[in-house]
Amino acid sequence: MKTFGDNFKTLRLLRKKSQKDMAVIFSMSQAAISNWEAGRQIPEVPMLIAISKYFEVSTDYLLGLED
């Protein structure tokens, strides 16, 4: 089962964006993006919704609940 961090990183790489790019897009630190991808943290619900809209995927997909 893929985690949020796995799915986020896959989507980020498909868009050819760096962690720094994502940090700017979502007004966060690069360390926060790194923590997400490493599975040390997951975003709060409002941010999760913003990420799903940006990547045009469901929140269930991001959270690893569906393929």
Side-chain angles (χ1 to χ4, degrees):
M1 178 179 185
K2 288 199 170 193
T3 65
F4 169 81
D6 296 329
N7 291 330
F8 182 87
K9 184 174 183 178
T10 298
L11 292 167
R12 175 177 67 79
L13 294 174
L14 285 171
R15 293 258 178 130
K16 296 181 171 46
K17 299 288 186 185
S18 68
Q19 286 184 350
K20 185 175 182 178
D21 294 334
M22 293 286 95
V24 170
I25 289 166
F26 294 114
S27 301
M28 312 197 71
S29 68
Q30 184 176 348
I33 303 297
S34 176
N35 285 335
W36 290 351
E37 290 185 4
R40 290 185 288 269
Q41 294 177 327
I42 60 169
E44 299 279 333
V45 171
M47 181 58 68
L48 186 65
I49 293 168
I51 294 166
S52 73
K53 287 181 180 180
Y54 176 80
F55 287 118
E56 299 176 338
V57 297
S58 71
T59 53
D60 282 352
Y61 172 79
L62 283 173
L63 294 170
L65 300 174
E66 66 180 32
D67 293 331

